[in-house]
Amino acid sequence: MRWTNASAAAALLLCAVTGASAQSGNKLQVNLDSQDSIKRAAKVVAANLWEYYRGDEPGQTPGILPGPPPAGDYYWWQAGAMFGTLIDYWHYTGDSTYNNETVRSIVHQAGAPTFAFMHPNWTASLGNDDQGFWGMTAMLAAEVNFPNPAPTDPQYLALAQATFNTQAARWENQDCAGGLRWQVPHTNNGYDYKNTIANVVFLNIAARLARYTNNETYAEWAERTWDWTEGVGYITEDYDVYDGANTPQNCTNLNKVQWSPNAAVLLHGAAIMYNYTTGDRQAQWKTRVAGLLNRTVDHFFPEGIMVERPCELKDRVQCNVDQHSFKGYMHRALASTAIVAPFTRDSILEVLRSSTKGAVESCLADGTCGFRWDRGEYDGDVSNGPAGQQMSALAALSTLLLDNSDGPLTNSTGGTSVGDPNAGSSAFELDPMRQITAGDKAGAAIVTIVVVGSFVGSLVWMSGGLFEVS
């Protein structure tokens, strides 16, 4: 355990907050009916999570968790997700302990000169989903009025717009009639894979930019991305959300594994579109939100507690470092959905509470939390990036406080982040963002492909992992 000033403060906090609970046993004690109790417990878990971060130490790089392998357990994108979790933690609890380092880290990892989360250190291994997770964190910072960077630094809204613009430039129709590839460099493993997470992250950012800026072009991109993702078979009639397919097979060899971030990020984006639209468009998005929510809860919350189904098996856990963090993204997405699509609120609150109860039962009094939430005890799982377990437990506790949120802001309801609709355009010498044409919409409309593939290769993806590149 490191003893920086922050760590010393965290240790004192652990002693103060957990002293009473230690006498009740070695479990974290939380009253889920008390906001103060939830906040105290979340503070302990957050301090434990922060112990895995080294970027605030002299000589270390701001904004990354130790890695990537073999230098450490964590890939670049996961730090972006961690800072998003900490922004939500601040938003729901009001605890600003980690704000300064979060601002510094986002600015540092934005990456000059494009400031589109294409940092030169990571460009050679860049995935669209990796970049997109940082972009979603910047978008969240804008939506909740997280303390803004210095005026001379890149601003959150502009960072999200730069992420969107660089990804819109990579949308291609040559293979599979549209969509984004998993990887950006053509030399990377996974370049020939068009995966769901890259595309639904793009949809999510587009939807949130549409709502924040009231710019319809972003909304059209979100709709276009839904149409393509559904048309190619990644979203089924029953609202199963599959993982992706390969371009050499024209995206017909569907990998039918269902990872929770695909459903979570898509559900959140669809809920934003429901909130943004009106009339028949809103009715369509409401149907999609309801269908996704029902199927997501049914599939990932057996007995009301989150389970990462593809790798968290009854008799063993096969989840890698990335996948150990997935439960937190689901809880955060569900809470955001409940806020912007109020018709989902009651059912979401019910499952968030039951799942968080399971998460708390996996935590020790010092804030160390396990991965398996359905066992009623700490599982001792520390072999696959324990920061992921901490992020998930922190998200579960924080999102129970969703009543503390006024909802995501926009630039007309108090949002203060400064934007730039052409941000990031220098990366590919882009033209300014254009309107989607009738031809674009027609291309999306005819994208439906006869799915002839099966589950070939799914075990490779289950062991190799969503997001990671071996």
Side-chain angles (χ1 to χ4, degrees):
M1 185 165 296
R2 60 201 176 100
W3 286 93
T4 61
N5 289 338
S7 296
L12 292 174
L13 171 69
L14 292 179
C15 292
V17 178
T18 65
S21 63
Q23 303 194 10
S24 307
N26 197 34
K27 281 192 174 184
L28 186 65
Q29 301 297 307
V30 188
N31 178 359
L32 297 184
D33 293 318
S34 166
Q35 286 205 4
D36 287 341
S37 180
I38 293 170
K39 288 179 182 180
R40 286 194 296 269
K43 195 173 185 72
V44 174
V45 175
N48 195 300
L49 167 62
W50 197 247
E51 287 298 313
Y52 295 98
Y53 179 67
R54 299 287 183 268
D56 57 344
E57 295 179 348
Q60 298 298 314
T61 303
I64 64 169
L65 286 161
D73 289 332
Y74 306 97
Y75 287 91
W76 174 66
W77 75 272
Q78 200 164 348
M82 181 189 76
F83 287 110
T85 302
L86 289 170
I87 291 172
D88 262 341
Y89 168 69
W90 164 80
H91 177 59
Y92 291 126
T93 70
D95 181 9
S96 61
T97 301
Y98 311 104
N99 284 14
N100 288 343
E101 184 64 18
T102 298
V103 174
R104 185 172 82 116
S105 295
I106 292 172
V107 169
H108 187 84
Q109 293 301 325
T114 60
F115 297 115
F117 298 111
M118 296 171 59
H119 196 289
N121 286 352
W122 317 113
T123 301
S125 59
L126 187 67
N128 280 305
D129 48 359
D130 303 336
Q131 178 193 24
F133 263 79
W134 278 97
M136 289 193 296
T137 290
M139 191 70 237
L140 175 63
E143 290 169 333
V144 300
N145 266 353
F146 194 67
N148 286 313
T152 54
D153 288 329
Q155 303 298 299
Y156 303 130
L157 179 58
L159 292 175
Q161 290 171 309
T163 302
F164 170 85
N165 286 336
T166 55
Q167 295 198 345
R170 299 183 196 125
W171 183 278
E172 54 148 72
N173 294 315
Q174 179 177 351
D175 296 303
C176 309
L180 292 175
R181 295 175 180 270
W182 177 19
Q183 296 294 303
V184 175
H186 72 276
T187 54
N188 282 5
N189 292 332
Y191 179 76
D192 67 349
Y193 192 65
K194 289 195 173 180
N195 63 344
T196 299
I197 192 63
N199 287 281
V200 299
V201 165
F202 179 64
L203 181 155
N204 183 286
I205 294 172
R208 293 160 74 178
L209 285 172
R211 184 181 180 277
Y212 193 96
T213 66
N214 198 32
N215 185 322
E216 182 64 15
T217 298
Y218 293 122
E220 291 176 354
W221 271 103
E223 290 172 331
R224 179 187 191 185
T225 306
W226 176 285
D227 290 344
W228 180 82
T229 308
E230 181 182 51
V232 82
Y234 296 179
I235 308 169
T236 73
E237 292 182 356
D238 296 325
Y239 294 99
D240 289 321
V241 184
Y242 297 153
D243 190 68
N246 295 93
T247 55
Q249 289 75 39
N250 201 31
C251 294
T252 61
N253 63 328
L254 287 179
N255 181 352
K256 295 184 179 180
V257 66
Q258 296 184 66
W259 297 106
S260 63
N262 289 327
V265 173
L266 180 61
L267 173 62
H268 179 205
I272 292 288
M273 288 300 292
Y274 162 79
N275 185 276
Y276 170 76
T277 53
T278 59
D280 290 343
R281 290 172 73 197
Q282 186 180 60
Q284 183 180 51
W285 283 107
K286 183 176 183 178
T287 298
R288 292 166 173 172
V289 170
L292 283 168
L293 177 59
N294 290 338
R295 181 58 182 140
T296 296
V297 170
D298 179 65
H299 186 71
F300 289 106
F301 293 83
E303 301 181 3
I305 297 175
M306 174 81 188
V307 175
E308 190 58 39
R309 294 283 294 273
C311 61
E312 186 181 354
L313 310 179
K314 288 187 179 296
D315 61 337
R316 65 192 184 281
V317 173
Q318 298 181 158
C319 306
N320 62 28
V321 173
D322 289 356
Q323 294 148 12
H324 271 71
S325 68
F326 285 1
K327 295 177 184 180
Y329 314 142
M330 177 63 78
H331 272 248
R332 292 172 58 205
L334 287 173
S336 297
T337 296
I339 292 167
V340 297
F343 72 91
T344 68
R345 184 182 183 85
D346 289 346
S347 59
I348 285 178
L349 280 174
E350 180 180 355
V351 75
L352 286 180
R353 182 183 175 89
S354 60
S355 187
T356 301
K357 184 175 184 295
V360 168
E361 289 177 349
S362 83
C363 295
L364 300 178
D366 68 353
T368 301
C369 297
F371 176 64
R372 308 197 81 157
W373 293 357
D374 60 354
R375 299 304 168 96
E377 61 184 2
Y378 176 61
D379 62 3
D381 186 348
V382 296
S383 61
N384 280 286
Q389 290 91 301
Q390 299 304 123
M391 288 165 58
S392 292
L394 180 60
L397 285 163
S398 300
T399 52
L400 279 190
L401 302 170
L402 62 86
D403 284 338
N404 293 346
S405 172
D406 295 328
L409 299 172
T410 71
N411 61 7
S412 62
T413 62
T416 61
S417 190
V418 177
D420 175 2
N422 297 313
S425 59
S426 61
F428 296 106
E429 298 183 354
L430 303 179
D431 293 327
M433 187 174 65
R434 64 179 178 84
Q435 298 288 329
I436 294 179
T437 66
D440 290 329
K441 294 179 180 178
I446 63 172
V447 75
T448 303
I449 296 172
V450 177
V451 177
V452 298
S454 64
F455 204 21
V456 177
S458 64
L459 291 178
V460 175
W461 292 98
M462 287 172 64
S463 59
L466 185 65
F467 306 145
E468 294 185 3
V469 181
S470 57

